[in-house]
Amino acid sequence: MERLKQYQLEHTTPEAVGVDSRVISAFINEINEKELGLQSFTVVRHDKVCAQGFFKPYGADIPHVLYSMSKSVTSTAIGFAVAEGLINLNDRVSDFFPEYPMSKRPFNRMLTVRMLLTMHSDKLITVLDEKGNKDWIASFMNATFMLPPNTKFNYISENTFMLSAIISKVTGMSMLDYLYPRMFEPLGIEKPFWESDGSGNNAGGWGLYMKSEDLAKFFLPYIHGGKWIDGTQLIPELWVKEATRKQVDSVHDGYIDNMVGYGYQFWRNPIANSYRADGLFGQRCFMFPEYDALVVLNCGEAEDYKVMKVFWKYFPECFGYDALPENKQAYNEMMDVISSCHVKDLPAAPRNIEMEQKISGRLIKCKTSEFVSVITISVTQMLYNKPGEINEMKFTFDQNKLHFYWREKTFENTIEVGLDGEYGVSEITLGDLHYHTYSKAAWQEDGSLKLWIRPIETAHVRQFTFYFREDDTVKVINEMTPRFQDLAIYNMTFIGMPIKGATTENVIKDAVEKLGLPFIEPDFKGKFAD
């Protein structure tokens, strides 16, 4: 398909499309006041971007990890395959993979494409199941069942991976390559990066990275019955209707989400006739067909139901007008609010020249677990080609910057780190991952050195604190924001719907803290090698 006419979205003022700039300002101000970890947002009304912001150092030109928002992109690929007669929703999953024996799990013969789409496989698979150098299809087929298939809603990302594997099986190409001429190329979206297994099957349920405005373009046809702005039918109309309507109750541990439900890898909203794509730590695209509007959020917030609570306070009510008089003062104030947005930062501090001279250029040897990486475990745990196990580090100081070298497994990187309050900007490669890092370091009054590394394609910042001992040993406090441990709160609140009351939330938090989960991104030690 050739590129669609007007595939670039026009930018305009909020008032030009009936949105009050003061509402956007109020939304962003409340997010900032509550420190809720928003990293970017794009608001589209009447097919025009009317408000957009990126919290420094995040930017419009850098893709962002989507986590489970990837699932709704996978659903789109399934919609094309159904329309093209390549698959049927009642097809049995086992028929696509006759090379995998069914004798170990006879229930596998009952699984259908539709059950994968509606999270009804009833497989027992957790986020801690090993992905590194494993056959992901075999792992799914061999996984035990909690209940017979199609009994209960059970949200697992591996259901969506199997949809991706089915696309690869029936097309002879990766799902990304299958979607490229159907969606990405006509919309002028550069082919994105999507994590894959060892056989080239895209992860499907996770691992896709896209820019905020590209996401808006990708999902915009969903609020127009599958049509692009110029009227071209891009996504099959029937699929848009079926994928976004309530197919099943979104039941989790006996609790039914209020009024919402689940479609084919899309979540229904508590607002009538609207739906969304959801991802971990607050990656979301809200679609409001009746308001001719769409909003994309990228976040780094573990308790992201708090972001949802603020969002529903302002949206979609702010889309209640067809047009408003231009308000230059309100618009300029909104732009000032947006331009001042930035993520939580590491404050600059005086240099410790004596310690810098003592440690500069000296190699530190470490022995760490596979869970120790500069990248968050919420990314590395779901990778086929895993980094991790930091085993070497080195600090080299110059007038304004620190050059930090480290090695994890066989992957080596050196980054620039700002010591003067400014970011050092570098690129790193860890296995299949390629990121841009924005990094700062600051000496502390107790003699420790804090180093914050933010790969801005992710939602996270790695926070190391180094304690240099007289015996040439180094103790490293290893933290990540947002934390993997806080996903216990996320899971209990279930994809953005608030748990009932502060008391319940505190009980969950206490349980997580007492459990400790010491194997997750642990602290570690090193020793100077010379």
Side-chain angles (χ1 to χ4, degrees):
M1 183 184 294
E2 296 182 0
R3 286 193 177 187
L4 299 169
K5 296 177 182 178
Q6 306 173 39
Y7 68 83
Q8 295 288 3
L9 295 180
E10 182 181 341
H11 286 233
T12 189
T13 66
E15 281 74 17
V17 290
V19 179
D20 192 331
S21 293
R22 292 172 296 185
V23 176
I24 304 297
S25 296
F27 168 65
I28 299 305
N29 282 330
E30 185 166 349
I31 288 287
N32 286 334
E33 288 166 7
K34 295 180 176 177
E35 298 182 344
L36 293 182
L38 188 63
Q39 293 166 349
S40 72
F41 67 94
T42 297
V43 181
V44 179
R45 182 95 196 277
H46 301 329
D47 303 326
K48 297 177 182 179
V49 176
C50 65
Q52 186 176 64
F54 298 88
F55 288 55
K56 299 177 184 67
Y58 291 89
D61 58 339
I62 298 293
H64 194 284
V65 65
L66 303 189
Y67 288 115
S68 286
M69 277 184 72
S70 309
K71 293 178 171 67
S72 301
V73 177
T74 298
S75 173
T76 308
I78 294 293
F80 281 114
V82 169
E84 293 166 14
L86 298 174
I87 61 176
N88 185 288
L89 297 192
N90 294 320
D91 286 343
R92 298 191 180 277
V93 175
S94 59
D95 291 344
F96 295 103
F97 306 102
E99 65 273 30
Y100 291 89
M102 295 294 111
S103 56
K104 188 173 183 180
R105 304 290 179 208
F107 274 159
N108 281 334
R109 294 189 178 91
M110 296 174 58
L111 284 176
T112 66
V113 173
R114 190 187 309 273
M115 293 175 196
L116 299 179
L117 281 166
T118 59
M119 295 294 176
H120 272 67
S121 72
D122 289 296
K123 285 276 189 176
L124 178 58
I125 302 175
T126 75
V127 294
L128 297 180
D129 284 10
E130 182 57 57
K131 293 273 189 295
N133 295 307
K134 299 290 186 181
D135 182 333
W136 292 1
I137 298 174
S139 296
F140 181 88
M141 293 297 193
N142 293 333
T144 182
F145 287 84
M146 295 185 294
L147 295 164
N150 209 32
T151 301
K152 180 175 178 287
F153 182 91
N154 181 39
Y155 186 86
I156 61 169
S157 293
E158 287 73 11
N159 287 335
T160 319
F161 163 70
M162 291 302 294
L163 294 171
S164 172
I166 289 170
I167 291 289
S168 296
K169 196 78 172 195
V170 300
T171 65
M173 65 184 78
S174 72
M175 186 167 60
L176 181 60
D177 287 339
Y178 176 68
L179 274 175
Y180 182 70
R182 291 164 175 81
M183 286 294 290
F184 297 118
E185 185 177 33
L187 291 173
I189 299 173
E190 183 179 354
K191 184 182 287 187
F193 170 70
W194 204 331
E195 295 164 18
S196 302
D197 70 358
S199 300
N201 299 302
N202 296 128
W206 67 94
L208 180 60
Y209 293 70
M210 288 179 66
K211 302 172 187 177
S212 180
E213 195 161 325
D214 285 345
L215 277 166
K217 290 196 294 185
F218 188 96
F219 287 117
L220 193 57
Y222 274 95
I223 69 172
H224 297 314
K227 293 180 180 178
W228 182 242
I229 297 169
D230 64 0
T232 302
Q233 190 71 45
L234 190 58
I235 305 169
E237 182 178 9
L238 180 60
W239 185 257
V240 171
K241 180 179 178 181
E242 291 298 301
T244 61
R245 75 175 179 88
K246 180 179 176 180
Q247 295 287 344
V248 293
D249 289 326
S250 46
V251 181
H252 188 250
D253 292 336
Y255 178 74
I256 301 179
D257 277 336
N258 299 330
M259 307 184 297
V260 286
Y262 196 69
Y264 292 150
Q265 311 279 295
F266 285 85
W267 294 93
R268 297 289 298 178
N269 286 325
I271 303 298
N273 302 317
S274 70
Y275 37 87
R276 67 188 189 272
D278 264 11
L280 206 59
F281 300 112
Q283 322 317 314
R284 289 197 167 91
C285 180
F286 300 86
M287 288 155 267
F288 303 104
E290 292 191 2
Y291 294 90
D292 194 19
L294 171 154
V295 182
V296 175
L297 303 182
N298 288 127
C299 283
E301 177 58 56
E303 298 173 73
D304 59 355
Y305 63 92
K306 294 179 179 179
V307 178
M308 294 279 276
K309 184 176 181 179
V310 176
F311 180 85
W312 293 127
K313 182 177 176 180
Y314 298 97
F315 297 90
E317 184 177 350
C318 67
F319 301 129
Y321 306 95
D322 289 330
L324 290 172
E326 289 297 329
N327 187 335
K328 184 173 288 188
Q329 180 180 346
Y331 175 74
N332 289 336
E333 289 174 355
M334 180 195 76
M335 295 303 292
D336 288 342
V337 168
I338 292 172
S339 65
S340 67
C341 288
H342 59 83
V343 297
K344 186 177 180 180
D345 210 349
L346 177 63
R351 301 280 292 271
N352 187 338
I353 302 301
E354 180 181 356
M355 184 61 74
E356 289 178 11
Q357 292 174 343
K358 181 178 179 180
I359 67 176
S360 187
R362 299 175 64 191
L363 188 67
I364 302 169
K365 292 283 190 178
C366 314
K367 187 175 182 180
T368 67
S369 77
E370 64 179 347
F371 298 108
V372 177
S373 172
V374 164
I375 307 303
T376 174
I377 191 175
S378 59
V379 169
T380 61
Q381 178 61 20
M382 303 298 282
L383 290 172
Y384 177 83
N385 188 16
K386 287 177 181 278
E389 299 179 18
I390 292 178
N391 51 67
E392 290 182 351
M393 300 182 296
K394 184 191 295 183
F395 301 90
T396 305
F397 295 88
D398 62 22
Q399 185 174 358
N400 295 314
K401 286 187 172 59
L402 158 66
H403 295 268
F404 177 66
Y405 158 85
W406 81 97
R407 173 178 172 173
E408 43 188 287
K409 291 184 178 171
T410 60
F411 310 123
E412 298 180 80
N413 288 280
T414 300
I415 59 173
E416 284 192 355
V417 181
L419 287 165
D420 56 359
E422 299 296 323
Y423 285 110
V425 183
S426 303
E427 296 184 43
I428 65 172
T429 299
L430 290 167
D432 301 327
L433 305 174
H434 183 85
Y435 292 143
H436 295 78
T437 59
Y438 283 66
S439 309
K440 292 185 180 182
W443 289 98
Q444 305 299 297
E445 291 184 358
D446 63 359
S448 64
L449 177 67
K450 286 189 178 293
L451 168 60
W452 287 17
I453 303 171
R454 183 181 293 275
I456 60 169
E457 286 85 354
T458 77
H460 306 264
V461 56
R462 172 63 67 198
Q463 299 166 327
F464 288 134
T465 305
F466 299 90
Y467 292 89
F468 302 98
R469 307 303 192 192
E470 290 296 331
D471 61 357
D472 272 352
T473 60
V474 183
K475 179 182 179 181
V476 186
I477 304 300
N478 177 25
E479 299 172 297
M480 174 63 71
T481 302
R483 301 188 312 162
F484 185 84
Q485 293 93 316
D486 291 332
L487 293 183
I489 309 298
Y490 171 88
N491 287 335
M492 290 300 292
T493 57
F494 191 50
I495 316 301
M497 303 306 294
I499 55 180
K500 302 290 186 180
T503 301
T504 307
E505 179 180 337
N506 290 334
V507 168
I508 298 168
K509 284 183 176 179
D510 289 344
V512 172
E513 294 300 334
K514 288 176 182 177
L515 180 61
L517 302 179
F519 62 91
I520 293 180
E521 302 189 313
D523 300 339
F524 60 98
K525 295 180 180 179
K527 187 176 180 64
F528 285 102
D530 54 346

